[in-house]
Structure formats: structure tokens, C-alpha cells
């Protein structure tokens, strides 16, 4: 069913719903039990992003350890006060990320493309935390 041009299917059961991109680049909604095997294999699944909420204090990030899944986009939402100091910047060198974050609420998105345990730090590398990609 995914390969049919212009066909959009929406399944309200959240655990069964996948947002997919069909051959030819059309978006459609597809579920494992609705899409024929051939259509499923020709669609690439683009799941909703993982959401990470990160509080910035004067000397640390909270939570201190974050776990996420490889290959699924991650939206990092930050919350900081005016006195967040050097932790108002965030670097994840293994993913080529170096962000200056706005006071208050800010966000950025990236795709963790490799599994493992990685360090993320402030721009001065004085405060650090751990990111685990499974």
C-alpha cells in the first residue's frame, strides 16, 4: 500500500504508527499489518524524533547521563537560567556538535549515527556528562 501514489493511511494506535517515506519521495503513514511485505521493504521508516530535556546550571547538565537510539533523530531541548555560565555552550565532539545555547529555552536536532558511550561538555571542557547511543 505504501507504493501507491497519493495514498495516505493514518493509524490512530500510536504504537503501530510509523511515518514513512515511500518510493518516489511521497510521505504516507504505514503500519506493519497494513503494508504488504514488498511495500514495507521499499519504504524507509522515519520515526518521530527522540526528545531529550536538558537543564543547564552554573556547573552541570541534568540529567548527567542520557541514553538514545542510533539512527533516530534526537531533539535536545535545553532550559537554562541567566547564570548558566560556560554550560550555556554544549559540545559533542564525536558528532561534530558545538552549540551556543540561548538563555531560557533552546533546542537543536541531530542524528546519532554511531553506537557507544560519548562525552558531551561545556565549551571550556570543565563540565561534562555522558551520552549513550544504543
Amino acid at each position: 500500500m505504501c507504493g501507491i501514489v497519493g495514498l495516505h493511511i493514518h493509524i490512530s494506535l500510536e504504537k503501530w504508527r510509523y511515518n514513512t517515506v515511500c518510493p518516489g519521495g511521497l510521505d504516507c503513514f504505514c503500519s506493519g499489518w497494513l503494508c504488504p511485505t514488498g511495500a514495507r521493504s521499499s519504504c524507509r521508516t522515519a520515526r518521530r524524533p527522540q526528545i531529550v530535556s536538558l537543564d543547564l546550571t552554573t556547573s552541570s547538565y541534568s540529567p548527567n547521563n542520557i541514553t538514545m537510539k542510533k539512527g533516530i533523530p534526537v531533539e535536545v531541548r535545553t532550559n537554562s537560567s541567566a547564570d548558566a555560565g560556560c554550560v550555556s555552550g554544549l559540545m559533542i565532539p564525536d558528532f561534530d556538535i558545538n552549540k551556543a545555547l540561548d538563555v531560557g529555552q533552546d533546542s537543536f536536532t541531530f542524528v546519532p549515527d554511531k553506537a557507544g558511550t560519548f562525552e558531551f561538555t561545556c565549551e571550556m571542557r570543565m563540565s561534562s556528562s555522558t551520552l549513550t547511543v544504543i
Side-chain angles (χ1 to χ4, degrees), residues 65-83:
N65 299 323
I66 299 170
T67 301
M68 58 192 59
K69 292 182 180 181
K70 176 184 168 189
I72 300 175
V74 177
E75 181 181 345
V76 179
R77 297 177 181 172
T78 62
N79 185 34
S80 67
S81 62
D83 62 350

Side-chain angles (χ1 to χ4, degrees), residues 13-93:
L13 296 173
E14 199 60 35
K15 70 179 185 176
W16 293 106
R17 190 174 128 206
Y18 295 94
N19 185 10
T20 61
V21 179
C22 299
L26 297 174
D27 288 331
C28 67
F29 290 94
C30 186
S31 173
W33 53 272
L34 277 180
C35 285
T37 304
R40 246 194 335 257
S41 64
S42 63
C43 293
R44 75 174 186 272
T45 301
R47 295 183 183 167
R48 291 184 176 150
Q50 304 169 83
I51 305 296
V52 171
S53 296
L54 195 60
D55 290 325
L56 315 177
T57 66
T58 55
S59 62
S60 67
Y61 300 100
S62 179
N64 196 16
N65 299 323
I66 299 170
T67 301
M68 58 192 59
K69 292 182 180 181
K70 176 184 168 189
I72 300 175
V74 177
E75 181 181 345
V76 179
R77 297 177 181 172
T78 62
N79 185 34
S80 67
S81 62
D83 62 350
C86 76
V87 298
S88 62
L90 183 132
M91 296 188 336
I92 312 173

Side-chain angles (χ1 to χ4, degrees), residues 88-90 98-102 106 123:
S88 62
L90 183 132
N98 187 351
K99 297 287 182 185
L101 301 166
D102 291 335
D106 201 352
E123 292 177 328

